[in-house]
Amino acid sequence: MFNKLKCPYCNSEDCDFYQHYETSQNGIRSLYQCHSCQQIFSETKGSFLEGLRKPVSAIIQVFKARSEGMGLNAACRVFDLAKNTLLDWERRLSGMKDTFMVYALAHTFLSQVIEGDELYTKINKNVPVEDCEGWTIVLMDRASRFIWALDCGKKDRTLFFYAIQILRNVINHTKDVTLVTDGERRYGNLLFEICHEVIRDGRRGRPPKVLRQGIKIRLKNKGKQAPQRGRHRPKYEAPHPEHPQTCQDITNEEVHADHVEAFNASTRRRNAAYRRKTNTYAKQKTSLQRTLDILWIVHNFIRKHFTTQQVPAVALGILDQGLSWEQVLHFRKSAGTCILAA
C-alpha cells in the first residue's frame, strides 16, 4: 500500500511512533523508530522532501505551474527560484517514476488495449529528424488512459525495444492484450520477437511461430499507397500470426490511435519543450526525459483525465482514489512506501 510505513534502513514494518519535532517552515513532523534495527528516522526520510526547508505549499505551486506548461526559466522568474534549485526538485521527483512503475506492475489486469504512437520535438539544435533524440514513444491503455511507456531518444531499435520491454512486463500481468498502432511496424515486429511461442501440432516441417495466447497486434496503414511499387498493404491488418486460441474480438473500427494522439496534443500544451515554433525545446535528452517522467507521474496518479473524469491509475484499478501532490512528495522512494501528511 502507498501509506504503509516501513523502515528506510532495513525495510522492516515493525516501526512505531517515537516523537514529534518542529520544522521552521512546515510545522510539526514525526519521528519513528524501527524495532528491528533500532534506527530513528523522520517521516520524510527517503522521500522528495528529505533535507528541503522550502514550504511544501510553495513547492506544489511550482510543480503545478510546470505541469500546466510553464517553461523552466519562466517558473524561476515567477516564483523567484534559482535555476539549480528547480532542477534539483525536478530530478528528485522524476527519480520516483521507477517506484511508481513497480507498484503499477504489481497488479493483475484482465484485458487491455494499448495504443502506440510517437511524438517529436527538437533537442539542443535543429538537426535532421533521423539524428534527433527528441522522438518520444507513448504506449497508452485505451480505456483508462494510463500511460505505460513515455520515453525519448533517437527513433531507432533501442528506443522501440525499451518500450516493448515495458509492454512485455504488462503482458505478464494481463490475460488479454491488444496493441494497435498507426503505421509504425516496429512495435509489432519487436513484440513478436519477444513474445512469441512455437505451435507444435505434430505436422511435418518446421513448427510455426505465433504470438503468445491472448496477445493481438493490429496495424492501421494510413495514407495513400498509389505511388508505392509492389504489393499494397491493406488498411487494417494483423502483421503477425496469432495463437489459434486467442479471442478475436476487435473490429477494424477499433484499430486506431486517436486517444494517444489526443494526449500528444495536450503534451504540446503542458510541456514547453514540445511547443512548436519556439526556442523552448530541451537542451539535452536527459532534460527532456526528466520532464516526461514528471508528466508520467502527474498524468497517471494525480490529474483527472478530461474524458473519463478519473485519475488513470484509479480507472485501471491500481488505486482506490487519486493521489494529492502532498502524498506524492511524501512518497518514500527508498523503501517503496509513502507516509501521508497528517
Side-chain angles (χ1 to χ4, degrees):
M1 295 295 294
F2 272 99
N3 59 351
K4 203 168 188 178
L5 176 65
K6 290 185 179 181
C7 175
Y9 298 100
C10 66
N11 210 30
S12 171
E13 298 180 9
D14 188 14
C15 304
D16 288 326
F17 170 78
Y18 183 74
Q19 69 178 35
H20 290 295
Y21 70 100
E22 188 171 355
T23 63
S24 59
Q25 299 288 342
N26 292 293
I28 296 176
R29 287 177 176 168
S30 301
L31 290 174
Y32 296 89
Q33 184 174 28
C34 174
H35 295 293
S36 297
C37 63
Q38 302 302 314
Q39 291 283 353
I40 297 174
F41 57 93
S42 170
E43 65 179 60
T44 61
K45 178 67 176 178
S47 71
F48 170 91
L49 297 172
E50 181 182 2
L52 295 183
R53 298 182 179 181
K54 196 75 171 180
V56 176
S57 58
I59 296 175
I60 292 175
Q61 290 301 316
V62 175
F63 277 127
K64 283 184 176 179
R66 286 284 283 151
S67 66
E68 291 298 334
M70 183 176 286
L72 179 70
N73 293 326
C76 292
R77 292 192 299 268
V78 170
F79 295 102
D80 193 21
L81 292 172
K83 187 174 181 179
N84 287 337
T85 298
L86 183 50
L87 287 174
D88 176 62
W89 291 358
E90 293 192 352
R91 292 189 187 105
R92 289 183 181 221
L93 184 58
S94 65
M96 296 162 57
K97 176 187 174 182
D98 290 342
T99 311
F100 278 96
M101 178 67 81
V102 170
Y103 183 84
L105 289 173
H107 293 72
T108 301
F109 314 100
L110 294 178
S111 177
Q112 290 194 63
V113 177
I114 308 293
E115 296 183 9
D117 200 12
E118 307 84 46
L119 183 63
Y120 173 75
T121 188
K122 296 181 290 185
I123 287 185
N124 192 20
K125 58 184 179 180
N126 194 10
V127 298
V129 292
E130 61 270 14
D131 298 327
C132 182
E133 294 182 320
W135 285 96
T136 305
I137 284 184
V138 186
L139 294 179
M140 172 188 285
D141 176 56
R142 176 177 291 177
S144 65
R145 308 300 201 271
F146 190 92
I147 296 174
W148 287 109
L150 189 62
D151 300 281
C152 67
K154 287 187 178 180
K155 194 177 180 181
D156 55 15
R157 177 184 171 87
T158 302
L159 180 61
F160 282 87
F161 189 78
Y162 182 78
I164 296 303
Q165 288 280 19
I166 297 176
L167 183 56
R168 182 179 67 173
N169 293 331
V170 176
I171 290 172
N172 292 335
H173 295 80
T174 311
K175 296 181 179 180
D176 186 0
V177 173
T178 302
L179 173 64
V180 293
T181 67
D182 279 355
E184 180 55 66
R185 310 184 74 84
R186 276 179 282 192
Y187 292 108
N189 294 342
L190 288 173
L191 184 59
F192 182 74
E193 180 181 320
I194 294 174
C195 296
H196 70 267
E197 59 182 85
V198 176
I199 297 294
R200 302 184 184 276
D201 53 6
R203 298 180 182 178
R204 297 180 62 183
R206 179 178 298 177
K209 291 182 180 180
V210 298
L211 288 165
R212 282 166 44 183
Q213 184 176 351
I215 303 177
K216 299 182 286 291
I217 299 175
R218 295 293 183 272
L219 186 68
K220 180 180 180 181
N221 294 305
K222 299 189 298 183
K224 296 181 179 180
Q225 301 185 46
Q228 298 180 3
R229 295 182 178 179
R231 181 179 63 87
H232 288 183
R233 296 190 178 102
K235 185 174 183 180
Y236 303 99
E237 65 174 319
H240 297 282
E242 297 169 358
H243 197 282
Q245 297 181 7
T246 297
C247 179
Q248 303 297 330
D249 56 354
I250 185 168
T251 63
N252 288 343
E253 290 73 18
E254 297 175 293
V255 182
H256 60 79
D258 295 349
H259 302 90
V260 72
E261 288 176 354
F263 168 79
N264 292 344
S266 70
T267 300
R268 295 196 179 278
R269 298 192 303 270
R270 289 174 168 161
N271 190 326
Y274 285 92
R275 292 196 189 130
R276 300 182 187 273
K277 299 181 180 180
T278 68
N279 61 351
T280 57
Y281 49 84
K283 301 300 184 289
Q284 296 178 352
K285 174 187 172 182
T286 53
S287 301
L288 182 60
Q289 188 61 57
R290 183 190 70 245
T291 63
L292 291 175
D293 291 342
I294 296 175
L295 176 62
W296 186 90
I297 295 173
V298 174
H299 175 89
N300 285 335
F301 295 93
I302 299 177
R303 181 186 289 141
K304 286 186 178 180
H305 194 273
F306 176 78
T307 303
T308 64
Q309 289 301 305
Q310 283 186 303
V311 177
V314 176
L316 192 59
I318 296 173
L319 298 175
D320 294 329
Q321 60 182 7
L323 300 178
S324 67
W325 274 102
E326 286 192 356
Q327 290 173 321
V328 170
L329 297 185
H330 278 81
F331 189 87
R332 183 173 294 114
K333 174 184 174 182
S334 58
T337 60
C338 176
I339 302 175
L340 304 186

